[in-house]
Amino acid sequence: MKAYRGALLRFDDQHQPVYDSDGLLVIGPDAQGERQLVHAAGAYDALAGRFPDVAVEDVRGQLIAPGFVDLHVHYPQTDVIGAPAPGLLPWLENYTYPHESRFADKAYARSVADFFFDELMRHGVTTALTFATSHPASVDAAFEAAQARGLRFITGKVLQDRHSPDGVRDDTQQSLADTEALIRRWHGVGRLGYAITPRFAPTSTEAQLRGAGEIAARHPDVWIQSHVAENRDEIRWAMELFPGARSYLGVYDDVGLLRERAIYAHCIHLDGEDRQLMARSGAAAAVSPTSNLFLGSGFFDYVQADDHGMRYGLASDVGGGTSFSPFHTMLAAYYVGREGQTKTGLSLTPSRLWWQHTAGAARALGLEGVIGNLQPGCEADFVVLDPQATPLLARKTAQADSLDELLFALIVLGDDRVVRRCVVDGRTA
Ligand SMILES: [Zn+2]
């Protein structure tokens, strides 16, 4: 066992922050000796006596917090970040597809995956639900790279059998067979999980979507990930292709792709019935604010989502998103929440933003109590953050009179310089 003494942040069952300015986090192996878990977390004075023989590392002055969970990101788009394009569809055609076609080459895919994971950990992200490309080799490469680092990680082969150029378009039957084979090879191996991954409704035939839904029904603990209702052109296109569907989201519902463990990126232009359907099915939204602002797609409606009881969490959506940094994503989510011209604007509290990128994202994945938190029993993935990482942060956080003021200073002014340490499965990365 090992312990860390410092300021300590975690969340309770009501999603409220629990903060100890002088806290103790005790980690150690699980009963099988396979994984490092949190054994105790709380105030130093209350806990220290229970663990007299455990070595304590002193990180006072720094904040121990749950590792961040990125609910939607594309590792093959690491090099697409910051590509100039007038909106989503030209961005896909001119930058994303040509780039993704290179991932048929497993060695190339592995080199990008290695960079991607190192970058995530540098930013304090310890779990990501990630798109691969349509090439099975891109999935093997990512899982092998995650396994080498001990990360809890979820990805899947992209399904796209139409309206996609040569090099990324797949074959309907082969794509479904590949998905089944990849589930058998990787799902539940150590900390790895598989996600059935239709890119989005317009690039799949109905046969491919139905096949994906059948696989999802056979494997209820496998994840599902896709995109929905990101921008108006895309929605128009989806409705032309699926004229019988009630809505764009309804296309996925019709084929059995809405259920627990299904994560849909964006969910911006939904109506009340769609939001009810999201809530009822247990599917969750991956709110991707830097991407939505970058591509001018629109603003996620937090008030409507909460009114309908939708689950959601935060996501970088790189390469549509502009940063791997959870701080940048949380700040962009604040901007999106504030926007009050197209929907009701609100001020998301700093601890609420933080929850959305940790325990809330874990809950959306069905991994509540497993990752994204530091309560006893959670896996030992966490970050040690330096509130004095820059002169301005040091000045600002020294004046913080409350947890929310401390967290908001980090959200507004923080970046990778704040992340002093990223601990994955109890080991410093
Ligand atoms: Zn995306």
Side-chain angles (χ1 to χ4, degrees), residues 72 74 77 131 227 265-266 317:
H72 175 76
H74 301 250
Q77 295 176 15
F131 269 52
H227 300 91
H266 309 304
D317 192 29

Side-chain angles (χ1 to χ4, degrees), residues 110-122 125-126 141-153 191-192 381 422-429:
R110 177 62 191 259
S111 72
V112 177
D114 281 331
F115 181 87
F116 169 79
F117 287 118
D118 291 345
E119 191 68 7
L120 285 188
M121 290 187 288
R122 225 168 54 68
V125 177
T126 50
F143 275 134
E144 287 167 14
Q147 198 171 36
R149 290 164 175 79
L151 288 159
R152 182 169 278 284
F153 172 67
R191 303 183 80 196
L192 307 178
D381 292 344
C422 180
V423 177
V424 172
D425 194 22
R427 284 173 306 171
T428 296

Side-chain angles (χ1 to χ4, degrees), residues 60-260:
R60 274 178 286 178
Q62 300 183 46
L63 174 64
I64 304 164
F68 291 101
V69 176
D70 189 335
L71 209 47
H72 175 76
V73 59
H74 301 250
Y75 96 82
Q77 295 176 15
T78 298
D79 295 311
V80 180
I81 196 167
L88 171 68
L89 300 178
W91 175 84
L92 281 172
E93 199 172 318
N94 298 332
Y95 289 99
T96 304
Y97 291 154
H99 198 81
E100 289 193 7
S101 68
R102 301 176 67 182
F103 285 72
D105 174 355
K106 187 175 168 189
Y108 178 73
R110 177 62 191 259
S111 72
V112 177
D114 281 331
F115 181 87
F116 169 79
F117 287 118
D118 291 345
E119 191 68 7
L120 285 188
M121 290 187 288
R122 225 168 54 68
H123 285 284
V125 177
T126 50
T127 288
L129 174 63
T130 307
F131 269 52
T133 65
S134 57
H135 317 93
S138 72
V139 176
D140 291 330
F143 275 134
E144 287 167 14
Q147 198 171 36
R149 290 164 175 79
L151 288 159
R152 182 169 278 284
F153 172 67
I154 308 165
T155 192
K157 177 207 134 39
V158 174
L159 300 167
Q160 52 181 125
D161 65 349
R162 68 166 165 175
H163 299 136
S164 309
D166 293 347
V168 296
R169 190 180 57 255
D170 61 11
D171 170 80
T172 311
Q173 289 314 314
Q174 187 62 45
S175 71
L176 299 171
D178 287 343
T179 296
E180 283 275 14
L182 288 164
I183 290 170
R184 280 195 298 276
R185 191 179 310 153
W186 290 111
H187 185 69
V189 174
R191 303 183 80 196
L192 307 178
Y194 193 83
I196 299 162
T197 307
R199 180 179 279 279
F200 64 150
T203 50
S204 285
T205 59
E206 190 169 341
Q208 191 177 44
L209 291 178
R210 286 203 181 283
E214 286 160 13
I215 295 171
R218 281 197 290 279
H219 302 279
D221 64 332
V222 161
W223 282 270
I224 296 165
Q225 58 178 343
S226 193
H227 300 91
V228 75
E230 180 174 3
N231 88 19
R232 305 252 181 228
D233 292 341
E234 171 217 17
I235 293 169
R236 207 171 301 121
W237 191 23
M239 294 316 296
E240 280 165 25
L241 293 168
F242 296 92
R246 196 204 69 82
S247 66
Y248 184 176
L249 186 71
V251 174
Y252 299 117
D253 187 39
D254 292 344
V255 295
L257 287 171
L258 285 189
R259 62 153 165 76
E260 302 263 337

Side-chain angles (χ1 to χ4, degrees), residues 292-303:
N292 299 155
L293 295 171
F294 182 69
L295 291 170
S297 302
F299 305 90
F300 182 79
D301 191 331
Y302 280 99
V303 172

Side-chain angles (χ1 to χ4, degrees), residues 66 87 105 123 144 181 236 253 310 334 364 383 401 404 408 411:
D105 174 355
H123 285 284
E144 287 167 14
R236 207 171 301 121
D253 187 39
M310 268 173 70
Y334 181 78
V383 289
D401 280 332
D404 267 351
F408 212 33
I411 289 169

Side-chain angles (χ1 to χ4, degrees), residues 277-298:
L277 182 57
M278 287 291 292
R280 203 170 55 233
S281 65
V287 181
S288 308
T290 71
S291 175
N292 299 155
L293 295 171
F294 182 69
L295 291 170
S297 302

